[in-house]
């Protein structure tokens, strides 16, 4: 029986461990936190959104980033302080612009393929994660945004995704609580939402039932491999241990770049910070005024999910500021203001802020499959679609490991 180490206990690490264990492999997961899903998989926007498969590699993104560089509340904020890592990442980002259409279509295809696996796992393992299969509504305030979305819809359709244009009146019938005036929207009925932390935690319990060894609270301090084995050295705060495996899968989010370098691979992941607020719907009026259909506001780069009856998740923005994990008030306030403008009946008296670092590769596509050595594999770099793509990339990397 192959012994495989999985580095990382977020959504990609836990789904990878699950697929490997289901194939009969002996799996050990290393996670530096005491529990699974405590970083980027803790409080994201909650969308399982094939409709958000558009990659960011276009000149429009570059123009907006430059225009917004000195606006502290900008939807896309780039810290102007240079670093070699950031400069190399943006150079490769620009170089990937010619692949924009192909990569958008491929991402949509992957997102659709992931759905059946994820839903089947949740049903098989009895995981309650506040799943809502009520679609996602993209909203646009002007013709330019709507027209761009129409072009994106063609690329998504090439990947197998159906979404339809809707008028302002149709938007109100889909989500009656939405306030404001809009040019139009696009509705994807097949998309859904849920709580990523609940899902990952539930699957983390399932892998233990399947015999996976979970080393929580273990920081990986050294990693090496050759043609036949991989070695993982970890520290649990008290003692250091070293173990030998037949292979290792790197699923360490923004930490994957440094681990890959130890193994002789270049995985140019940059951390792109995203923020969220969880609005606690404490009163009946707020519960009635909050949407049940998930939204994506392209102009502000804000997404929403209704999590159960009493929580409303609002997330978004992108911040290029290195590995800084600070929760900045000037980045949280626009999310709260957005709620107050679009859903004025919702009380924002009790709001829980959060920030996480999305692991993004320059071409916006995840790195899935073998590394330079036959004992090293990667499932990382999913960017803003980690949960959406996780089930299919876990299956893909399991195919590679178990071949």
């Amino acid at each position: 029986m192959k012994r495989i180490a999985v580095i990382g206990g977020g959504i990609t690490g836990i789904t990878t461990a699950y697929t490997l264990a289901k194939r009969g492999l002996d799996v050990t997961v290393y996670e530096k936190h005491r529990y699974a899903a405590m970083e980027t998989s803790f409080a994201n926007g909650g969308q399982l959104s094939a409709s958000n498969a558009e990659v960011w590699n276009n000149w429009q993104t570059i123009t907006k980033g430059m225009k917004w560089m000195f606006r502290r509340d900008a939807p896309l904020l780039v810290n102007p302080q240079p670093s070699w890592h950031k400069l190399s990442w943006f150079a490769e980002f620009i170089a990937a612009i010619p692949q924009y259409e192909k990569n958008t279509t491929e991402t949509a295809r992957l997102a659709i393929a992931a759905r059946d696996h994820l839903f089947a796992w949740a049903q098989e393992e009895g995981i309650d994660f506040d799943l809502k299969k009520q679609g996602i509504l993209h909203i646009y305030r002007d013709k330019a945004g709507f027209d761009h979305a129409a072009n994106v819809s063609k690329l998504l359709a090439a990947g197998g995704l159906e979404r339809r244009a809707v008028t302002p009146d149709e938007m109100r019938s889909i989500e009656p609580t939405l306030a404001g005036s809009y040019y139009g929207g696009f509705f994807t009925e097949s998309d859904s939402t849920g709580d990523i932390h609940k899902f990952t935690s539930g699957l983390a319990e399932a892998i233990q039932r399947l015999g996976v060894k979970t080393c929580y609270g273990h920081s990986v301090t050294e990693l090496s491999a050759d043609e036949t084995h991989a070695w993982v050295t970890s520290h649990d705060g008290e003692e250091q241990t070293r173990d030998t495996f037949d292979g290792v899968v790197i699923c360490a989010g923004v930490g994957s770049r440094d681990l890959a370098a130890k193994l002789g691979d270049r995985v140019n992941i940059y951390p792109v910070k995203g923020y969220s607020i969880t609005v606690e719907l404490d009163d009946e009026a707020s519960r009635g005024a909050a949407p049940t259909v998930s939204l994506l506001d392209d102009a502000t780069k804000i997404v929403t999910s209704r999590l159960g009856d009493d929580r409303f998740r609002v997330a978004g923005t992108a911040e290029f500021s290195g590995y800084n994990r600070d929760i900045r008030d000037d980045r949280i306030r626009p999310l709260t203001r957005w709620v107050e403008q679009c859903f004025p009946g919702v009380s924002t008296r009790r709001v829980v802020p959060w920030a996480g670092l999305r692991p993004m590769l320059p071409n916006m596509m995840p790195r899935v499959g073998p590394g330079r050595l036959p004992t090293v594999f990667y499932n990382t770099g999913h960017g803003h679609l980690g949960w959406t793509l996780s089930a299919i990339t876990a299956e893909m990397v399991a195919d590679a490991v178990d071949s």
Side-chain angles (χ1 to χ4, degrees), residues 71-123:
R71 246 188 68 190
R72 294 176 65 84
D73 63 347
L76 171 62
L77 181 64
V78 180
N79 185 326
Q81 185 173 349
S83 71
W84 174 247
H85 184 193
K86 189 190 298 180
L87 291 172
S88 71
W89 192 92
F90 274 113
E92 292 179 41
F93 178 90
I94 292 170
I97 288 176
Q99 282 77 54
Y100 161 79
E101 293 186 357
K102 177 177 71 72
N103 287 347
T104 294
T105 296
E106 175 62 10
T107 302
R109 188 190 67 78
L110 289 172
I112 293 167
R115 288 173 177 161
D116 290 343
H117 293 293
L118 189 142
F119 295 148
W121 298 347
Q123 185 172 10

Side-chain angles (χ1 to χ4, degrees), residues 295-348:
L295 304 172
L296 193 153
D297 185 341
D298 262 338
T300 58
K301 304 303 178 191
I302 286 174
V303 305
T304 76
S305 298
R306 182 70 175 266
L307 303 177
D309 293 329
D310 55 3
R311 291 184 300 150
F312 179 38
R313 176 72 48 76
V314 180
T317 76
E319 182 180 319
F320 289 79
S321 56
Y323 292 85
N324 182 294
R325 287 178 167 83
D326 292 348
I327 301 175
R328 291 172 45 178
D329 180 63
D330 57 356
R331 307 292 288 156
I332 291 293
R333 269 186 278 120
L335 300 178
T336 307
R337 281 200 305 268
W338 187 91
V339 174
E340 294 166 349
Q341 290 165 4
C342 295
F343 302 97
V346 172
S347 170
T348 52

Side-chain angles (χ1 to χ4, degrees), residues 3 193 242 290 378:
R3 296 193 72 224
T193 58
R242 186 172 188 261
Y378 295 92

